[in-house]
Amino acid sequence: MTILAKHSAQWLVYKALREHDVNVKIDSVLSPTEGLIHGRKTILLGTNNYLGLTFDPDCIEKAVDATRRQGTGTTGSRMANGNYDGHNKLEEAVAKFYGREHAMVFSTGYQANLGVLSTLVGRGDHLMLDADSHASIYDGSRLGGAEVIRFRHNSPDDLYKRLRRLEGAPGDRLIVVEGIYSMLGDTSPLKEIAAVKRETGAYLLVDEAHSMGVLGETGRGLAEAAGVEADVDFIVGTFSKSLGSVGGFCVSDSPDFDVLRMICRPYMFTASLPPGVVASTLEALIKLQAEPELRANLIRNAHHLYDGLGAMGFQTGPEVNPIVAVAMPDRETAVMAWKMLLEAGVYLNLAIPPATPTSVCLLRTSVSAAHTPQQIDTVLDIFAHVGRQLGLLSADRRRAGGAV
Amino acid sequence: MRQTPQLALVENKVDASEKSVRDDISSIFEQVLGHPVKITDGTDIVEDLGMDSLGVMNFVMAIEDFYDISIPLDRIAQIQTVGDLIHAVDDLRSGNPS
């Protein structure tokens, strides 16, 4: 017996997955779309590297230069010795990009949600979460003292019903949804959610982690694409996907927004981002705005993969987005397909319950603007081969079940 | 993709006015699980009824719809047995938030 024996059920699952070698070690990353895994050159198709900026020469140059000039780390919090000119410039740039008065930068996207959700609402307030929210949203909801109510995924009606039940109760209401949901790549019905927000007097926060640089005329995300930016009170996001680095942020027009710097513990009690990360992020944000063709390539690749897999008979998510999820009939088939794809030179994410909605097993892919059409064709060929081997295509689809 | 058709069934089949909360919950369990169940206040929802966390969440949503209440997540976390669930439903229906 150890102190961890209480997690014995999860330990068994972990050991089984480890036997299958599903926790891949990437020996070397060669480019935004290729890495060496088990000594083989492998197409990376599950990295959230939407604009492919991790190897952008200008971003690398800025990071190297800042590191040389300012060191490898800040060794302190924004509240103390870790508040550099770069952090402030980055906040100005993020605020300007979103057309908002204020921005706050966090050390990770996870901490941004943890910090913002635990301070915007507290005891006596009501936090309304989409049931499929990311773990960071659930964890942030637990860190604050607000009453947490979840509504059915992407259901404005269920949200409305639950807000109506709160009629007459004191306290603020904060609705939290995501731009693109990370497992299936589906978007939030934001127009309808915004209408519920207006009718019920709630506040609205949108997590654009997977939609920044992906959706909207200028890449600001789903709120921009849906034309409801004025209804969104707070936008949270991350630098670790389309901007190719690490870190999180929140933007808002709330005039007293900066009070968060004094009360937001996941912002205060952690070291700030290293200068190199700040510098590459700033440069990547410039690229995002200056090179709309990146987004065009990304969407082209998303269509290429989504349409190709669908034409073969694979069951994919409900919308064409850079996250393309392929439903597998069961856990064993999912693991087998994942291993066969990896052996054939394609890395993607194996997503199994409880990380997935409705207990579905998924092969989760994410395309990048940096993938070439030839790489996507190669991926499709390999999927076709694996699908045939496992009997997952067309005529076999009924057997595979209608999970997605 | 995330349809839970059994939940609609639940809403239609049970008549709230004539049954105790325990009877309602028993009927909803039977419809969600698809077979008859014997429950007491001491029945452990996960251990004895074999529901996974997602099943519990969907079941809780069916209960919420049925009684037109929302059970906050921290209350759900405290619910282990059928008795706990009955207690939470009674509290929320009587307007007692905790």
Side-chain angles (χ1 to χ4, degrees):
Chain A
M1 277 294 263
T2 71
I3 195 167
L4 294 173
K6 58 181 85 65
H7 302 297
S8 58
Q10 291 91 330
W11 176 233
L12 286 176
V13 173
Y14 175 75
K15 281 204 291 192
L17 290 175
R18 199 166 58 178
E19 271 169 36
H20 282 295
D21 201 19
V22 297
N23 193 7
V24 152
K25 175 165 70 77
I26 299 178
D27 298 320
S28 175
V29 180
L30 306 172
S31 77
T33 60
E34 280 188 324
L36 276 184
I37 298 175
H38 299 153
R40 275 190 304 271
K41 206 181 236 194
T42 303
I43 296 175
L44 301 176
L45 195 73
T47 61
N48 311 308
N49 194 354
Y50 298 121
L51 301 183
L53 290 174
T54 47
F55 281 77
D56 180 87
D58 297 327
C59 292
I60 290 175
E61 195 47 51
K62 294 281 182 187
V64 169
D65 178 57
T67 305
R68 287 227 165 86
R69 284 188 297 106
Q70 300 190 282
T72 51
T74 67
T75 68
S77 155
R78 291 291 300 282
M79 299 297 287
N81 58 300
N83 184 31
Y84 291 11
D85 183 51
H87 299 106
N88 292 273
K89 284 211 165 71
L90 181 56
E91 283 174 342
E92 282 168 26
V94 172
K96 192 171 170 217
F97 172 61
Y98 279 100
R100 303 275 177 161
E101 288 293 317
H102 306 282
M104 215 171 134
V105 164
F106 294 76
S107 296
T108 65
Y110 177 88
Q111 281 163 296
N113 270 333
L114 223 54
V116 172
L117 294 180
S118 62
T119 43
L120 288 182
V121 283
R123 191 163 292 285
D125 296 327
H126 309 273
L127 190 48
M128 317 300 292
L129 304 186
D130 184 289
D132 284 3
S133 289
H134 188 260
S136 59
I137 293 172
Y138 275 105
D139 292 356
S141 78
R142 289 168 70 174
L143 192 62
E147 180 184 82
V148 183
I149 293 171
R150 46 171 243 168
F151 59 94
R152 287 197 168 86
H153 176 61
N154 275 356
S155 173
D157 290 344
D158 196 50
L159 170 64
Y160 179 75
K161 193 165 62 184
R162 287 163 190 277
L163 282 163
R164 184 185 49 75
R165 286 174 190 154
L166 290 172
E167 255 171 18
D172 290 324
R173 287 95 166 113
L174 177 66
I175 303 164
V176 179
V177 298
E178 297 179 37
I180 293 180
Y181 285 86
S182 63
M183 280 297 140
L184 294 168
D186 49 339
T187 55
S188 170
L190 202 53
K191 254 194 179 116
E192 293 78 5
I193 298 275
V196 172
K197 170 243 156 107
R198 284 194 301 271
E199 191 176 334
T200 56
Y203 293 92
L204 176 58
L205 180 150
V206 180
D207 181 341
E208 301 268 20
H210 289 275
S211 37
M212 178 194 199
V214 174
L215 299 178
E217 183 73 28
T218 64
R220 289 204 292 257
L222 181 65
E224 183 184 29
V228 294
E229 285 179 291
D231 290 310
V232 179
D233 302 286
F234 300 92
I235 288 175
V236 169
T238 179
F239 304 138
S240 64
K241 303 190 191 314
S242 57
L243 298 184
S245 63
V246 68
F249 66 86
C250 177
V251 298
S252 175
D253 283 328
S254 189
D256 46 1
F257 183 74
D258 279 342
V259 72
L260 284 175
R261 296 185 198 274
M262 284 293 294
I263 54 176
C264 192
R265 298 171 69 85
Y267 170 84
M268 297 161 70
F269 297 102
T270 192
S272 62
L273 287 171
V277 169
V278 171
S280 84
T281 306
L282 256 170
E283 184 63 21
L285 188 56
I286 292 168
K287 297 262 163 180
L288 185 160
Q289 295 168 86
E291 299 178 19
E293 63 273 19
L294 291 174
R295 208 156 49 255
N297 289 346
L298 174 67
I299 301 304
R300 179 203 67 204
N301 286 340
H303 271 279
H304 190 168
L305 183 65
Y306 183 93
D307 296 346
L309 289 171
M312 271 178 228
F314 281 106
Q315 295 182 5
T316 48
E319 292 174 51
V320 187
N321 272 318
I323 295 169
V324 181
V326 184
M328 292 286 113
D330 53 62
R331 184 185 295 235
E332 289 69 31
T333 311
V335 171
M336 206 183 301
W338 182 86
K339 288 179 81 165
M340 289 168 75
L341 285 157
L342 187 63
E343 278 161 22
V346 179
Y347 168 79
L348 44 77
N349 312 123
L350 175 64
I352 51 180
T356 56
T358 59
S359 299
V360 66
C361 289
L362 299 171
L363 299 179
R364 175 193 179 273
T365 75
S366 53
V367 298
S368 170
H371 283 118
T372 63
Q374 293 73 29
Q375 281 178 313
I376 305 282
D377 278 335
T378 303
V379 165
L380 288 171
D381 286 346
I382 294 171
F383 256 100
H385 176 72
V386 170
R388 273 194 302 272
Q389 294 259 308
L390 295 178
L392 296 172
L393 300 181
S394 50
D396 301 308
R397 262 205 304 175
R398 240 161 302 165
R399 187 187 65 77
V404 170
Chain B
M1 183 174 285
R2 285 181 201 74
Q3 301 301 312
T4 44
Q6 74 272 26
L7 301 184
L9 191 71
V10 167
E11 288 177 61
N12 297 335
K13 270 206 173 174
V14 188
D15 177 0
S17 59
E18 293 179 8
K19 291 181 174 178
S20 71
V21 172
R22 185 181 296 98
D23 289 339
D24 296 336
I25 288 173
S26 175
S27 302
I28 295 170
F29 266 128
E30 288 188 8
Q31 290 171 57
V32 170
L33 291 169
H35 56 79
V37 287
K38 266 202 159 52
I39 58 168
T40 66
D41 281 7
T43 303
D44 188 300
I45 295 168
V46 174
E47 297 280 318
D48 297 334
L49 297 177
M51 291 190 112
D52 60 14
S53 58
L54 190 79
V56 171
M57 278 296 176
N58 284 331
F59 169 72
V60 166
M61 283 194 163
I63 298 268
E64 290 175 316
D65 277 347
F66 182 73
Y67 288 111
D68 197 25
I69 55 173
S70 293
I71 309 178
L73 278 192
D74 61 330
R75 291 301 298 272
I76 294 174
Q78 291 164 20
I79 295 170
Q80 192 177 346
T81 65
V82 169
D84 297 337
L85 179 59
I86 292 169
H87 186 61
V89 169
D90 281 342
D91 272 355
L92 288 160
R93 289 178 81 198
S94 65
N96 179 2
S98 58

